[in-house]
Amino acid sequence: MTNKGHKLYKKAKKIIPGGTMLLSKRPEMFLPGLWPSYFSKAKGYKVWDLENKLLNDMSIMGIGTNSLGYGHDKVDKAVLKNIKNGNMSTLNCPEEIYLAEKLIEINPWAEMVRFSRSGGEANAIAIRIGRAASGRDKVAICGYHGWHDWYLSVNHNEENHDGLANHLIPGLNPLGVPKDLKNTVFPFSYNDFKGLEEIVNNQEIGVIKMEVQRNFPPKNDFLKKVRKLATENNIVLIFDECTSGFRETFGGLFKKYSVQPDIAMFGKALGNGYAINAVVGKRNVMEYAQSTFISSTFWTERIGPTAALKTLEVMEETNSWNVITDTGKDVVSKWKKLSEKHNLSIKVVGLPSIASYSFNSKNKLKYKTLITQEMLKKGFLASTTFYASIAHDTKVIDKYFDNLDDIYFLISKCENEELNIDSLLDSSVCHDGFKRLN
């Protein structure tokens, strides 16, 4: 029987290229043909689908946007107040100044701020400013930095057109990106300082842009070496904290490693589900934003900065970064114990509060699909990734593992060839990376 969500998604694929606005929310990334796809309501860690079925979100929590949980009362109250007072006007909203001041207070090394409403925009802003400030066009990157031309141009560099394959998402097609951008952006691997040094020595690099940490921590003073290299070569160093910000510190993850960038970007968790991203930086770099054209109407709306101000207040009140880190560590520990119990081999990566794992098996994607399928039957949105929020309590985590235990048992039977994984799946296998749908 096809439910409302499945029917709606079939319609979506006919009128929306790719079916959804975000690759990571495609049903094919979870459970093709059976994923609920759409929600009617969300609160705390709970989500209701279009048929009003309650689902506990032990998955990606809006792709990391809601570290305070869905629909936090204090944040929503502040937003609703300003919606009533008016979201837009010919005049500017004062909240953008208050938020800029707060972000500079959190980042005393910085003196200026620009805002956007999405991470891709923030990355584009930071790159434009960095190139303008350095006077050089070429960029060295490490990690995932959005969908814009400057970033996807990396996949014009390589013969196999997949230079970004090791930077979160494989298979990104640079179709539509001007080929003239070839060899303007160069990827380097995390913790590979010699690789970065070689790029800097052989190219006129003006900007180094990187995630502070995604899957693994820095080794051998990697971040400090990058900072030193950038300083010695008059290169603008940009830390993309759209994902990692406010996960382990009140601000950027770079605080943990005592390394300061020239520019940092924050997003996702900053507005607890409301669209707001910030580009924070040193005055001598950020002032170049006045010499190049960077401007957008909806960067002046009021909801984003209002939500961010209240979100930051709640974060401070609750020490949310410590809460979600502890919750994440607990979940990771229990993943490992459960795998040992069933003699399964898994690889866990990522910050504790946004951790993921995969099975060391040729059938890893099939097992991932099975977990999503069976957990959905038990009332959970779940995969092999967990983004923690302060709303997640021991009750839902214990219930999650009670159900996961049964599925790991089935997987162990498959690994021992007592069961055939293909016979257990009700759908096709989940996608891994970017694929054309139609």
Side-chain angles (χ1 to χ4, degrees), residues 298-359:
F298 279 99
W299 292 348
T300 68
E301 64 82 37
R302 198 178 198 177
I303 292 173
T306 297
L309 283 164
K310 186 56 68 172
T311 295
L312 293 173
E313 181 183 309
V314 175
M315 284 178 173
E316 281 192 286
E317 290 173 356
T318 60
N319 287 314
S320 61
W321 57 95
N322 288 327
V323 175
I324 62 175
T325 295
D326 288 344
T327 298
K329 285 179 178 178
D330 180 47
V331 168
V332 167
S333 173
K334 288 175 178 175
W335 278 342
K336 291 178 178 178
K337 288 178 181 176
L338 199 60
S339 65
E340 290 171 3
K341 174 183 175 181
H342 294 284
N343 294 313
L344 295 170
S345 175
I346 65 171
K347 178 183 179 181
V348 180
V349 299
L351 301 174
S353 63
I354 49 174
S356 62
Y357 69 94
S358 60
F359 292 94

Side-chain angles (χ1 to χ4, degrees), residues 144 146-157 164 172-175 177 185:
Y144 174 70
W147 65 273
H148 288 69
D149 287 5
W150 74 267
Y151 181 65
L152 288 186
S153 69
V154 170
N155 281 354
H156 279 318
N157 297 3
L164 292 172
L172 297 177
N173 192 334
L175 186 67
V177 177
V185 180

Side-chain angles (χ1 to χ4, degrees), residues 351-369:
L351 301 174
S353 63
I354 49 174
S356 62
Y357 69 94
S358 60
F359 292 94
N360 294 314
S361 168
K362 65 180 181 180
N363 289 321
K364 61 182 180 180
L365 283 181
K366 292 180 179 181
Y367 295 155
K368 179 181 176 183
T369 307

Side-chain angles (χ1 to χ4, degrees), residues 97 104 131 134 137 174 199 204 222 239 280 282 299 306-307 322 367 372 394 417:
I97 309 304
I104 291 168
R131 281 171 161 165
S134 69
D137 295 339
I199 292 171
E204 289 292 319
F222 176 61
F239 284 159
V280 181
K282 297 176 180 177
W299 292 348
T306 297
N322 288 327
Y367 295 155
T372 303
T394 54
E417 298 184 347

Side-chain angles (χ1 to χ4, degrees), residues 134-197:
S134 69
R136 284 162 278 165
D137 295 339
K138 293 185 177 181
V139 177
I141 62 103
C142 179
Y144 174 70
H145 305 294
W147 65 273
H148 288 69
D149 287 5
W150 74 267
Y151 181 65
L152 288 186
S153 69
V154 170
N155 281 354
H156 279 318
N157 297 3
E158 307 290 336
E159 287 185 8
N160 65 359
H161 297 302
D162 208 10
L164 292 172
N166 295 321
H167 295 263
L168 188 64
I169 302 178
L172 297 177
N173 192 334
L175 186 67
V177 177
K179 292 183 175 61
D180 288 348
L181 293 177
K182 179 180 179 180
N183 294 326
T184 58
V185 180
F186 301 86
F188 63 95
S189 298
Y190 195 78
N191 279 325
D192 181 12
F193 180 72
K194 287 185 178 180
L196 172 60
E197 198 171 34

Side-chain angles (χ1 to χ4, degrees), residues 47-325:
V47 176
W48 287 261
D49 69 10
L50 296 187
E51 294 174 318
N52 208 34
K53 180 182 179 182
L54 170 61
L55 299 163
N56 297 311
D57 197 339
M58 289 293 293
S59 182
I60 50 180
M61 289 296 292
I63 322 295
T65 56
N66 291 76
S67 65
L68 303 183
Y70 298 127
H72 191 281
D73 289 340
K74 290 184 178 180
V75 178
D76 286 359
K77 183 179 179 181
V79 168
L80 288 169
K81 178 182 176 181
N82 270 349
I83 288 174
K84 291 178 181 178
N85 289 334
N87 181 45
M88 270 295 227
S89 137
T90 297
L91 304 181
N92 296 291
C93 72
E95 287 81 5
E96 67 184 26
I97 309 304
Y98 308 148
L99 180 56
E101 288 177 328
K102 184 62 179 179
L103 289 170
I104 291 168
E105 176 190 315
I106 294 170
N107 297 278
W109 56 273
E111 295 131 325
M112 301 188 89
V113 183
R114 286 297 298 261
F115 296 112
S116 71
R117 293 301 180 271
S118 74
E121 291 174 327
N123 271 279
I125 292 168
I127 280 293
R128 175 77 69 79
I129 294 172
R131 281 171 161 165
S134 69
R136 284 162 278 165
D137 295 339
K138 293 185 177 181
V139 177
I141 62 103
C142 179
Y144 174 70
H145 305 294
W147 65 273
H148 288 69
D149 287 5
W150 74 267
Y151 181 65
L152 288 186
S153 69
V154 170
N155 281 354
H156 279 318
N157 297 3
E158 307 290 336
E159 287 185 8
N160 65 359
H161 297 302
D162 208 10
L164 292 172
N166 295 321
H167 295 263
L168 188 64
I169 302 178
L172 297 177
N173 192 334
L175 186 67
V177 177
K179 292 183 175 61
D180 288 348
L181 293 177
K182 179 180 179 180
N183 294 326
T184 58
V185 180
F186 301 86
F188 63 95
S189 298
Y190 195 78
N191 279 325
D192 181 12
F193 180 72
K194 287 185 178 180
L196 172 60
E197 198 171 34
E198 184 177 346
I199 292 171
V200 170
N201 289 338
N202 289 285
Q203 304 291 339
E204 289 292 319
I205 298 297
V207 180
I208 296 173
K209 172 177 275 197
M210 61 182 296
E211 292 181 289
V212 177
Q213 179 184 335
R214 183 172 283 270
N215 291 336
F216 305 103
K219 297 178 181 177
N220 301 319
D221 288 327
F222 176 61
L223 294 175
K224 291 181 179 179
K225 289 177 181 177
V226 173
R227 174 69 273 181
K228 185 172 183 289
L229 181 69
T231 302
E232 290 174 348
N233 289 274
N234 296 313
I235 294 170
V236 174
L237 177 60
I238 303 174
F239 284 159
D240 181 350
E241 295 260 16
C242 285
T243 295
S244 56
F246 302 98
R247 296 287 172 190
E248 287 196 9
T249 72
F250 187 51
L253 192 61
F254 57 81
K255 288 183 174 184
K256 179 179 176 180
Y257 300 110
S258 302
V259 180
Q260 293 178 352
D262 299 305
I263 294 175
M265 293 118 57
F266 300 98
K268 290 193 183 287
L270 182 58
N272 200 56
Y274 293 98
I276 182 72
N277 282 252
V279 180
V280 181
K282 297 176 180 177
R283 185 180 304 278
N284 66 325
V285 176
M286 291 293 291
E287 280 190 330
Y288 279 87
Q290 298 188 73
S291 302
T292 181
F293 184 64
I294 301 172
S295 180
S296 186
T297 299
F298 279 99
W299 292 348
T300 68
E301 64 82 37
R302 198 178 198 177
I303 292 173
T306 297
L309 283 164
K310 186 56 68 172
T311 295
L312 293 173
E313 181 183 309
V314 175
M315 284 178 173
E316 281 192 286
E317 290 173 356
T318 60
N319 287 314
S320 61
W321 57 95
N322 288 327
V323 175
I324 62 175
T325 295

